[in-house]
Amino acid sequence: ILKIFNLDNKVETGNEKNANKGTQINLFNQNSELNLINEKKVDFFQNKLYQYLTGNLEKKLFLEKLKKHKVLSFKIFSQEHSKFDSEILGIGFSYKENIGYYFKMGEKNKSDGDILILKEIFEDEKIEKISYDIKKDLKKLNEIGIEVKGKIFDNLIAHYLIDPDISHEIDLLSKKYLNHSTENFLNNKNIYNEEIRSQTKFVCNYTDINLSLKKVFELELKSVNNKLYNEIEIPLIKVLSNIEREGVSLDTDFLKNLSNTLNQKLKKIENIIFEKSGEKFNIASPKQLGVILFEKLKIVKNPKKTKGGQYSTAEEILSDLAKQNTIVSDVLNWRSIQKILNTYVESLPKEINSKTNRIHTIFNQATVSTGRLSSQSPNLQNIPIRTDMGKEVRKAFVPKNNDYSILAADYSQIELRIIASFSNDKTMINSFLNDEDIHASTASSVYGVNLSEVTRVQRSNAKTINFGIMYGVSAFGLSQQTDLSRTESKELIEKYYVTYNELNNYIKNQIDKARELGFVETILGRRRYLRNILSQNAVVRSSDERNAINAPIQGSAADIIKIAMINIFDELEKKQLNSKMILQVHDELVFEVLNEEIEELSNIVKEKMQNAYQLKVPLKVDIGIGKNWLEAH
């Protein structure tokens, strides 16, 4: 009954099944796998035994065999019919190197017998499950009523902690750590149309590789950060899986109206630009725009050009010219509206899942080197909050019905609190301990005025320095972000370092430490390798020097909010609240809260976020409630 890549003899039911009963039992003898392969097939599969299972009896026998093993690598083989509709075709399993089984699913996942067997496998807490990007698997199994229980191991996350800056693609990992070339078959887009034999090889090779990688990465993690992996990143997988499944509702009528309003604004700005330029042209075309600005209007004497020879109309170049040229300011305004329209207002409604009537973003744990999460399909982490148009987009994120509200909880100045703790700067620490406005306090010190006399402009400049210092802001950079001259910016930065002397020493020591070790770490030991910190190239070296300062701060903020997310999620499950966590955006968590649970959830969220980690200054959390995301922010 077990097909060992022999497509000529297919035994399905009745007397033929009984006639092969002895073969089945013998096949699953503890050490008999390799003995029963047709010798002609051994070289073809490079001494690997990959088999596929289609009949109920052989699947049950496989289950009995599997129960004797404590570690299981698996791969879900599914086909995407559309963005919102996928079908599990089968699941690959490996519990021993060079041996794999392909569990072929019944038609359209409707086989109750298959699901019962798979539930026994995945809900067995004694079996450790290994996969690659296991969060995706958890969601797919949940769709057919299966909850993965017991210990899990994710090779994608493991390698991300081992070396966050390089590619984590499984075919590259296989070549690097196992010296095994996959010959690109792991990315075969036509595999769904191939015979079961090819599908079996595809899936089982994947599970076989994952099983071998796990052994390598387990050892590597011990020398890097096993605790961060086991206590933060792995528990976070379940949290993110639930957030993604929960999704968030959109007010599509609001977005339609906003689209009409923004398109009308675009038309008005276009007409203004055409009037100033004296002709109509394609504003979205860098080539045509460059000719208008730099040849016809001659707004600058020596315009920069791209490698291709055309005039550069990059954002940073136009931003420099906008103060002196209103047409450039109009172009930048046009671009910002166009970007909001294309990226969010008109595209978000297309992301709504027809089954749930909500959008379900995907959070990536292994993309950003500092440890931050990223978001895709759609990206909900880059909606601008400082612009009026970005704020309007947030109004479209609403609760499922009137019984619910949106609750947003945001860490207040968490990165500044972290750098105050890291540097042990007494001036900055005291400002936080006294619950002062840190930007006003900074302005008071660097401008030499009383706290009560600080102006809005002075506070704004101080705020730019406070956040810019983590990114190695220069006098030139500060002058570009403010109305200060380069000389004024230089003087202000010098006064800043006098005020925060310990912070200045910390920055110097951090760079020296990075040069010595070749990496920096967050509060939880998350590493960022700086391979160019000793480069002879000043531009390349300075980039790593900035990372030496910024990565531990940004990464520590990421560590802290991940701890908070896990603790909040566990508490919500423990109390069985109806309120759910639905989004994470950098230092902010967003919840869909049942109105009756607002007070209870607010207390849980504030307590868990503020006590996620003990710094030398208190963590502060701002909580807002509203009928949309903007109102709650």
Side-chain angles (χ1 to χ4, degrees), residues 56 186 557:
N56 287 335
L186 286 181

Side-chain angles (χ1 to χ4, degrees), residues 120-178:
E120 272 205 68
I121 294 171
F122 286 106
E123 296 184 2
D124 188 337
E125 297 189 9
K126 297 177 183 176
I127 301 175
E128 180 180 9
K129 289 86 179 177
I130 306 163
S131 190
Y132 176 92
D133 195 7
I134 201 168
K135 175 162 61 68
K136 187 186 296 183
D137 300 323
L138 299 185
K139 291 196 296 181
K140 287 190 179 297
L141 289 169
N142 184 264
E143 287 174 6
I144 58 173
I146 297 173
E147 181 184 355
V148 176
K149 297 180 180 178
K151 190 177 179 182
I152 59 174
F153 193 94
D154 190 331
N155 281 313
L156 170 63
I157 304 300
H159 187 258
Y160 169 66
L161 290 182
I162 291 165
D163 201 336
D165 285 297
I166 67 174
S167 173
H168 313 299
E169 293 295 328
I170 192 166
D171 50 344
L172 297 177
L173 300 183
S174 178
K175 289 173 188 174
K176 179 179 180 179
Y177 292 96
L178 306 178

